[in-house]
């Protein structure tokens, strides 16, 4: 039973497969930062998971460092939360093996990331197939109670609960049962084509990068071809949804009223999105520039984070090994 006075262990990870985008921020990273205040936050860069897609060593190393810079610039505070790189905690890979044994093939065959690839005829490797079990190990290794994620990860948290439940049932209570934490208003941020924003769909709006380039990407967001004068429903419109990520309640209401009145161009909405988003991320951009000048600090943060994380994971791994007879 969790002690009410004890801060909750919150854990989440992000893959270093490219630069983080608005979906990553509003679905997940914003939660990491909010939750670090009252809880014991463990946040990691999932480079073992990224190995299924990134096959260039220098690129992978660079991406890991970039994501560390991004997270710190966005407000992840190493004095409040633990930030680390997944592969710096080998206990997780060891726990993954313990969990793989006992995980039914059928459970993994139903997982979307693998299914989507296979359905599209893209060859999938065993890493991708077993990916959800590694994710389960990530979560279980730290006795995580809450896992802040976007909607697309909920299935993986269900797999984790399933895997943990089976182990606990066979070997006695060993793992803490985690819960996903998904935000209602940004569980599935749309991309420039109106589909879910995703690095693999080539429809992302990045958090960092050249402002002019991002503005161009915003101006290219797809829209329908209804006449300007027609009134439009804001609900379910991806431009309105993107605007709503940044605008306060008053501005959102004004925008909704403009939609319902009609007589506006989508270009106006895009311009407003560009302005609001630039203002929203301005501080983070400035902080990132400073951090780039201080990479020693970033490496020290990751090292301290790895030590803290390993301490916790070693205890949980031993508990699991004793439960199933490996120790
Ligand atoms: P990844 O790297 O794809 O995404 C990182 C986080 O961003 C969220 N996200 C979104 N949220 C809302 N709208 C979107 N369009 C959107 N796109 C991405 C994701 O839900 C995620 O929370 N498998 C994970 C990484 C991982 C992990 C873990 C997460 C590995 N181990 C353990 C939690 C716990 C992934 O690929 O996330």
């Amino acid at each position: 039973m969790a002690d009410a006075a004890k801060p909750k262990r919150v854990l989440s990870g992000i893959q270093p497969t490219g630069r983080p985008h608005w979906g990553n921020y509003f679905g997940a990273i914003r939660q990491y930062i909010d939750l670090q205040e009252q809880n014991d936050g463990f946040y990691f860069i999932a480079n073992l998971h990224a190995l299924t897609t990134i096959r260039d060593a220098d690129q992978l190393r660079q991406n890991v460092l970039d994501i560390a810079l991004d997270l710190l610039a966005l407000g992840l505070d190493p004095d409040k939360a633990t930030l680390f790189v997944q592969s710096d905690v080998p206990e997780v890979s060891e726990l993954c093996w313990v969990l793989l044994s006992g995980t039914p093939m059928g459970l993994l065959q139903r997982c979307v990331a693998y299914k989507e690839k296979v359905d599209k005829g893209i060859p999938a490797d065993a890493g991708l197939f077993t990916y959800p079990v590694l994710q389960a190990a990530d979560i279980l290794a730290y006795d995580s109670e809450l896992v802040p994620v976007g909607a697309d990860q909920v299935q993986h948290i269900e797999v984790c609960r399933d895997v943990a439940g089976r182990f606990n049932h066979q070997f006695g209570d060993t793992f803490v049962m985690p819960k996903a934490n998904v935000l209602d208003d940004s569980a599935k941020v749309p991309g420039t084509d109106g589909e879910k924003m995703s690095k693999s769909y080539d429809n992302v709006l990045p958090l960092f990068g050249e402002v002019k380039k991002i503005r161009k990407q915003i101006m290219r967001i797809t829209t329908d071809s209804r006449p300007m004068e027609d009134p439009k429903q804001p609900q379910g419109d991806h431009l309105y949804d993107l605007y709503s990520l940044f605008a306060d309640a008053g501005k959102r209401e004004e925008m909704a009223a403009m939609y319902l009145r009609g007589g506006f161009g989508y270009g106006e909405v895009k311009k407003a999105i560009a302005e609001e988003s630039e203002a929203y991320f301005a501080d983070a951009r400035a902080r990132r520039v400073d951090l780039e000048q201080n990479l020693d600090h970033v490496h020290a943060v990751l090292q301290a984070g790895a030590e803290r994380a390993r301490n916790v994971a070693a205890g949980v791994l031993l508990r699991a090994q004793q439960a199933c007879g490996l120790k």
Side-chain angles (χ1 to χ4, degrees):
M1 270 273 116
D3 176 358
K6 200 173 140 243
K8 263 196 185 153
R9 172 68 42 75
V10 174
L11 169 129
S12 201
I14 181 164
Q15 281 199 70
T17 42
R19 302 308 304 284
H21 53 72
W22 293 5
N24 297 137
Y25 179 75
F26 287 101
I29 300 170
R30 184 175 53 158
Q31 295 200 68
Y32 307 171
I33 292 157
D34 287 346
L35 289 165
Q36 73 185 353
E37 298 300 327
Q38 307 290 337
N39 302 282
D40 185 9
F42 270 44
Y43 303 119
F44 67 93
I45 304 166
N47 60 342
L48 292 173
H49 279 106
L51 207 52
T52 66
T53 37
I54 307 238
R55 309 295 298 168
D56 175 323
D58 290 335
Q59 180 77 55
L60 185 55
R61 272 188 287 267
Q62 184 59 45
N63 286 7
V64 167
L65 183 61
D66 271 327
I67 300 262
L69 284 162
D70 296 335
L71 292 172
L72 293 170
L74 288 163
L76 203 145
D77 181 348
D79 290 333
K80 294 179 182 159
T82 302
L83 175 64
F84 60 101
V85 178
Q86 186 182 30
S87 63
D88 283 344
V89 186
E91 287 78 4
V92 166
S93 300
E94 215 171 325
L95 184 61
C96 180
W97 179 259
V98 173
L99 299 173
L100 273 167
S101 316
T103 299
M105 296 288 282
L107 184 65
L108 302 183
Q109 267 151 357
R110 286 192 293 277
C111 285
V112 277
Y114 171 74
K115 250 178 82 167
E116 266 180 21
K117 264 207 170 167
V118 172
D119 289 349
K120 280 188 194 148
I122 303 170
D125 60 17
L128 185 72
F129 184 66
T130 54
Y131 178 117
V133 185
L134 179 57
Q135 183 156 348
D138 288 328
I139 297 169
L140 300 174
Y142 306 103
D143 285 338
S144 314
E145 295 167 78
L146 204 65
V147 186
V149 284
D152 60 347
Q153 293 299 316
V154 170
Q155 187 188 40
H156 289 155
I157 317 297
E158 287 307 316
V159 171
C160 174
R161 291 173 59 89
D162 189 319
V163 167
R166 280 168 203 271
F167 190 98
N168 285 352
H169 182 72
Q170 284 182 328
F171 299 115
D173 253 357
T174 306
F175 296 119
V176 172
M177 278 292 172
K179 275 206 195 81
N181 205 64
V182 179
L183 297 176
D184 289 339
D185 55 353
S186 53
K188 188 177 166 190
V189 172
T192 52
D193 55 358
E195 299 301 314
K196 184 194 88 165
M197 189 178 290
S198 167
K199 281 171 245 178
S200 33
Y201 301 161
D202 199 21
N203 65 356
V204 305
L205 294 162
L207 296 171
F208 299 98
E210 224 184 293
V211 172
K212 254 172 120 180
K213 211 170 135 196
I214 301 174
R215 214 168 237 255
K216 273 198 188 142
Q217 288 170 287
I218 294 172
M219 296 318 281
R220 281 202 296 264
I221 298 175
T222 54
T223 52
D224 59 44
S225 51
R226 281 175 300 172
M228 268 177 77
E229 51 279 7
D230 278 13
K232 297 171 182 76
Q233 276 301 329
Q235 279 78 27
D237 178 86
H238 59 279
L239 269 188
Y240 179 77
D241 287 345
L242 288 171
Y243 180 75
S244 300
L245 296 173
F246 302 100
D248 60 29
K251 284 183 175 170
R252 272 203 305 272
E253 263 174 49
E254 270 175 45
M255 183 62 83
M258 188 172 100
Y259 264 73
L260 295 168
R261 258 195 328 269
F264 68 96
Y266 285 126
E268 282 175 64
V269 188
K270 292 178 181 177
K271 226 174 126 231
I273 294 173
E275 277 159 18
E276 292 288 336
S277 60
E278 281 159 26
Y280 193 96
F281 293 122
D283 289 349
R285 277 176 178 283
R287 272 198 299 269
R288 200 182 193 287
V289 172
D290 288 345
L291 281 162
E292 280 163 22
Q293 304 308 314
N294 202 353
L295 292 183
D296 286 350
H297 165 71
V298 179
H299 287 297
V301 164
L302 293 176
Q303 200 184 332
E307 274 166 32
R308 243 179 288 157
R310 274 198 86 169
N311 252 334
V312 178
V316 178
L317 176 64
L318 180 62
R319 197 197 300 150
Q321 288 169 324
Q322 284 171 337
C324 68
L326 290 171
K327 284 255 158 85

